[in-house]
Amino acid sequence: MTGGYWQAGALGRYGPERGLPEAYSPSRGFWYFGRPADNADTVLFVGYDPSKLAKYFGDAHIVGQVGNRLGVRNASAHMPVWQLTGRTAGWAEIWPRLKDMRA
């Protein structure tokens, strides 16, 4: 899951060939593509602030950061990757509350 639709789009495009699962994001139009599966109890979140999502999990901590071997500077450079575990509510309840249409 990502905080921004840019990152979700990149994961959607390049993730499958690297064995990554489907990407989700509550950001803008990406929210309409749907929520994670009901059995998704652990989430990797790419973004600076997972607080809106983290309140529905027992634990959240940084497990890595976005980088690229070419050293390209962009909005995602050094963005943290969080692992959230121990989901405390169902996605049917969580997903509508995450929707973010800000530009």
Short mmCIF file of all heavy atoms in Angstrom, two decimals, residues 14 17-18 65-74 77-78:
data_model
loop_
_atom_site.label_atom_id
_atom_site.label_comp_id
_atom_site.label_asym_id
_atom_site.label_seq_id
_atom_site.Cartn_x
_atom_site.Cartn_y
_atom_site.Cartn_z
N TYR A 14 5.78 -2.05 -12.20
CA TYR A 14 7.05 -2.77 -12.10
C TYR A 14 7.08 -3.87 -11.04
O TYR A 14 7.99 -4.69 -11.02
CB TYR A 14 8.19 -1.78 -11.83
CG TYR A 14 8.34 -0.78 -12.93
CD1 TYR A 14 7.92 0.53 -12.77
CD2 TYR A 14 8.90 -1.16 -14.15
CE1 TYR A 14 8.05 1.46 -13.81
CE2 TYR A 14 9.03 -0.24 -15.19
CZ TYR A 14 8.60 1.07 -15.01
OH TYR A 14 8.71 1.96 -16.02
N GLU A 17 6.70 -8.11 -12.03
CA GLU A 17 7.89 -8.79 -12.57
C GLU A 17 8.96 -9.02 -11.50
O GLU A 17 9.92 -9.76 -11.72
CB GLU A 17 8.47 -8.02 -13.75
CG GLU A 17 8.98 -6.64 -13.41
CD GLU A 17 9.20 -5.76 -14.64
OE1 GLU A 17 8.34 -5.72 -15.53
OE2 GLU A 17 10.25 -5.10 -14.68
N ARG A 18 8.77 -8.39 -10.35
CA ARG A 18 9.69 -8.58 -9.24
C ARG A 18 9.06 -9.40 -8.11
O ARG A 18 9.57 -9.47 -7.01
CB ARG A 18 10.14 -7.22 -8.70
CG ARG A 18 11.06 -6.50 -9.68
CD ARG A 18 11.23 -5.04 -9.34
NE ARG A 18 12.23 -4.40 -10.17
CZ ARG A 18 12.04 -4.01 -11.43
NH1 ARG A 18 10.87 -4.22 -12.01
NH2 ARG A 18 13.00 -3.44 -12.13
N GLN A 65 13.69 1.69 2.91
CA GLN A 65 13.41 2.96 2.27
C GLN A 65 13.56 2.81 0.76
O GLN A 65 14.26 1.93 0.28
CB GLN A 65 14.30 4.08 2.80
CG GLN A 65 15.75 3.96 2.46
CD GLN A 65 16.53 5.18 2.92
OE1 GLN A 65 16.22 6.29 2.55
NE2 GLN A 65 17.54 4.96 3.75
N VAL A 66 12.86 3.67 0.04
CA VAL A 66 12.89 3.64 -1.41
C VAL A 66 14.23 4.17 -1.89
O VAL A 66 14.73 5.17 -1.39
CB VAL A 66 11.74 4.49 -2.00
CG1 VAL A 66 11.83 4.57 -3.51
CG2 VAL A 66 10.39 3.95 -1.55
N GLY A 67 14.79 3.50 -2.85
CA GLY A 67 16.04 3.94 -3.45
C GLY A 67 16.07 3.49 -4.90
O GLY A 67 15.20 2.74 -5.34
N ASN A 68 17.03 3.96 -5.62
CA ASN A 68 17.22 3.45 -6.98
C ASN A 68 18.71 3.47 -7.29
O ASN A 68 19.45 4.33 -6.83
CB ASN A 68 16.41 4.25 -8.01
CG ASN A 68 16.84 5.69 -8.11
OD1 ASN A 68 17.94 5.98 -8.55
ND2 ASN A 68 15.96 6.60 -7.71
N ARG A 69 19.12 2.53 -8.06
CA ARG A 69 20.55 2.38 -8.32
C ARG A 69 21.11 3.46 -9.23
O ARG A 69 22.31 3.59 -9.38
CB ARG A 69 20.84 0.99 -8.88
CG ARG A 69 20.19 0.74 -10.21
CD ARG A 69 20.54 -0.66 -10.71
NE ARG A 69 19.80 -0.91 -11.92
CZ ARG A 69 18.74 -1.68 -12.02
NH1 ARG A 69 18.31 -2.33 -10.97
NH2 ARG A 69 18.12 -1.84 -13.16
N LEU A 70 20.23 4.27 -9.84
CA LEU A 70 20.68 5.34 -10.73
C LEU A 70 20.87 6.67 -10.01
O LEU A 70 21.37 7.63 -10.59
CB LEU A 70 19.69 5.51 -11.89
CG LEU A 70 19.47 4.29 -12.77
CD1 LEU A 70 18.41 4.55 -13.81
CD2 LEU A 70 20.78 3.86 -13.41
N GLY A 71 20.43 6.74 -8.76
CA GLY A 71 20.59 7.97 -8.00
C GLY A 71 19.67 9.10 -8.46
O GLY A 71 19.96 10.27 -8.23
N VAL A 72 18.55 8.76 -9.08
CA VAL A 72 17.61 9.77 -9.57
C VAL A 72 16.92 10.42 -8.37
O VAL A 72 16.39 9.75 -7.49
CB VAL A 72 16.55 9.13 -10.50
CG1 VAL A 72 15.51 10.15 -10.92
CG2 VAL A 72 17.23 8.49 -11.70
N ARG A 73 16.93 11.73 -8.34
CA ARG A 73 16.25 12.47 -7.27
C ARG A 73 14.81 12.70 -7.69
O ARG A 73 14.55 13.28 -8.74
CB ARG A 73 16.93 13.81 -7.04
CG ARG A 73 18.30 13.69 -6.47
CD ARG A 73 18.84 15.06 -6.13
NE ARG A 73 20.29 15.00 -6.05
CZ ARG A 73 21.04 16.04 -5.79
NH1 ARG A 73 20.50 17.21 -5.59
NH2 ARG A 73 22.34 15.90 -5.72
N ASN A 74 13.89 12.25 -6.85
CA ASN A 74 12.48 12.47 -7.11
C ASN A 74 11.73 12.46 -5.78
O ASN A 74 12.33 12.29 -4.73
CB ASN A 74 11.92 11.43 -8.10
CG ASN A 74 12.10 10.01 -7.62
OD1 ASN A 74 12.02 9.73 -6.43
ND2 ASN A 74 12.37 9.10 -8.53
N ALA A 77 12.39 9.41 -3.47
CA ALA A 77 13.74 9.08 -3.01
C ALA A 77 13.81 9.09 -1.48
O ALA A 77 13.36 10.03 -0.84
CB ALA A 77 14.75 10.07 -3.57
N HIS A 78 14.31 8.01 -0.92
CA HIS A 78 14.50 7.84 0.53
C HIS A 78 13.19 7.77 1.31
O HIS A 78 13.19 7.89 2.53
CB HIS A 78 15.40 8.93 1.11
CG HIS A 78 16.68 9.07 0.36
ND1 HIS A 78 17.66 8.10 0.35
CD2 HIS A 78 17.14 10.06 -0.45
CE1 HIS A 78 18.66 8.48 -0.41
NE2 HIS A 78 18.38 9.66 -0.91
#
